[in-house]
Amino acid sequence: MAFPITRHRRLRRTAAMRSIVRETHLTVDDFIYPLFVTHGENVKTEISSMPGVYQLSIDLLKAEIDAVAASGIQAVLLFGLPATKDAIGTSAYEDDGIVQQATRAIKEWAPNLLVVADTCLCEFTDHGHCGMIHHDPRTGNAEVDNDASLELLVKTAVSQAKAGADIIAPSNMMDGFVGAIRDGLDAAGFEMVPIMSYSVKYASAYYGPFREAAQSAPQFGDRKSYQMDPANVREALREAESDVLEGADMLMVKPALAYMDVIRLMKEQYDLPLVAYNVSAEYSMVKAAAANGWIDERAIVLETLTGMKRAGADLIITYHALDAARWLKGE
């Protein structure tokens, strides 16, 4: 029926009325909080382009983990800054690597907190790419060697699982990476460790601040030969389909804010849990605008995260997680 019989505003009249008909609910259980861990002692270095985000040595990490656990957040995502780098990212898969050390410490301090280990080589290679480099003898050009890289990524995943990681999250975008890691985990006795695949990871300008945080900028070229073209969406379905067939347990879209249509499409096509990564520049833009007094940071963050969930995300990786958890409690 039409107006005046139908009045849509009836269900918006009061806060209580709006609450009982609300379609999308954002909760602390939706958040995964990224952390950057580094070697040394008493290290707490703020990322200049990401106010409120720090590189932390393990001795100072406990206070952050205590805050996460107290907030009700269920999971953290670990990125490591190694003491040394080489051409094959050796420190990514060493038993005493920085991510492995941090994982063991977190599982000791907060056994019920889920540790998600980012599985990539870019932070650990001296060239900053996500795999091994070979030089094409025909052209002399340096290229990422997909298949040789898989062997190192499997070693990294198994090492992280041995250290106690609850979830392996490969972000390298090599062809066949999920299948290789699944086989490697199963062969090592970690068949119950799930894979959260960075299935749809775009070659995005939104990663800029992260490159500072993780010290992972490529030393030559870019990552467009293995990360996705931002103009493509049907390709996202092909990437996700491969990961599903290879045994992924969760799928991810990264970045989130400029790719809401991709999140919705993935939600409609697949029934696996879907993760959205609210990436570094998305965070930094909000922080910069808030610092200038141009926006209400709390309102913008909660609206943005709700939008990601409304688009189809079951989980959201976000640097806003601690603040958002507090705001959702009314603090």
Side-chain angles (χ1 to χ4, degrees), residues 8 14 84 87 98 122 125 136-138 145 150 157 182 186 198 200 206-207 222 238 267 285 298 313 318:
H8 300 294
T14 67
T84 60
I98 187 62
C122 60
T125 55
D136 189 326
R138 298 167 299 174
D145 187 327
L150 294 179
R182 182 73 274 157
D186 291 356
Y198 286 65
V200 181
Y206 281 92
Y207 303 150
D222 54 41
R238 299 198 297 273
K267 185 68 169 182
M285 290 189 299
R298 178 186 183 277
T318 179

Side-chain angles (χ1 to χ4, degrees), residues 29-230:
D29 290 340
D30 300 326
F31 302 146
I32 299 173
Y33 186 46
L35 292 167
F36 299 93
V37 291
T38 188
H39 290 279
E41 293 183 357
N42 202 34
V43 177
K44 186 176 182 179
T45 305
E46 188 171 30
I47 312 305
S48 63
S49 56
M50 299 178 70
V53 177
Y54 299 86
Q55 298 166 346
L56 295 167
S57 54
I58 292 176
D59 59 316
L60 298 186
L61 182 62
K62 187 176 187 302
E64 193 80 347
I65 294 302
D66 289 344
V68 170
S71 76
I73 293 169
Q74 300 293 318
V76 294
L77 172 61
L78 290 185
F79 297 97
L81 285 74
T84 60
K85 302 186 179 190
D86 60 27
I88 59 173
T90 303
S91 52
Y93 44 86
E94 291 177 332
D95 287 341
D96 63 346
I98 187 62
V99 169
Q100 290 79 356
Q101 290 185 43
T103 298
R104 286 190 288 267
I106 293 170
K107 297 309 293 184
E108 179 181 343
W109 300 328
N112 294 324
L113 185 67
L114 294 173
V115 174
V116 185
D118 180 81
T119 305
C120 195
L121 300 177
C122 60
E123 297 117 283
F124 304 94
T125 55
D126 53 15
H127 47 74
H129 281 280
C130 301
M132 289 179 61
I133 299 297
H134 84 285
H135 293 272
D136 189 326
R138 298 167 299 174
T139 65
N141 293 335
E143 299 178 355
V144 174
D145 187 327
N146 190 97
D147 294 8
S149 299
L150 294 179
E151 298 178 19
L152 301 183
L153 293 165
V154 170
K155 290 175 67 174
T156 302
V158 170
S159 175
Q160 292 168 339
K162 285 181 178 177
D166 298 286
I167 300 171
I168 298 300
S171 60
N172 52 86
M173 288 296 284
M174 297 294 108
D175 289 337
F177 69 108
V178 171
I181 289 173
R182 182 73 274 157
D183 288 346
L185 290 172
D186 291 356
F190 298 108
E191 63 276 357
M192 295 305 293
V193 174
I195 295 174
M196 176 192 291
S197 173
Y198 286 65
S199 303
V200 181
K201 183 178 180 181
Y202 286 90
S204 173
Y206 281 92
Y207 303 150
F210 177 91
R211 303 275 167 84
E212 177 193 355
Q215 299 177 359
S216 62
Q219 299 304 298
F220 65 88
D222 54 41
R223 297 177 179 148
K224 293 179 180 179
S225 69
Y226 46 101
Q227 295 177 359
M228 281 183 52
D229 185 338

Side-chain angles (χ1 to χ4, degrees), residues 1-13:
M1 293 185 179
F3 175 84
I5 302 301
T6 298
R7 292 181 181 268
H8 300 294
R9 289 179 56 190
R10 291 185 188 120
L11 300 182
R12 305 174 191 154
R13 213 160 41 85

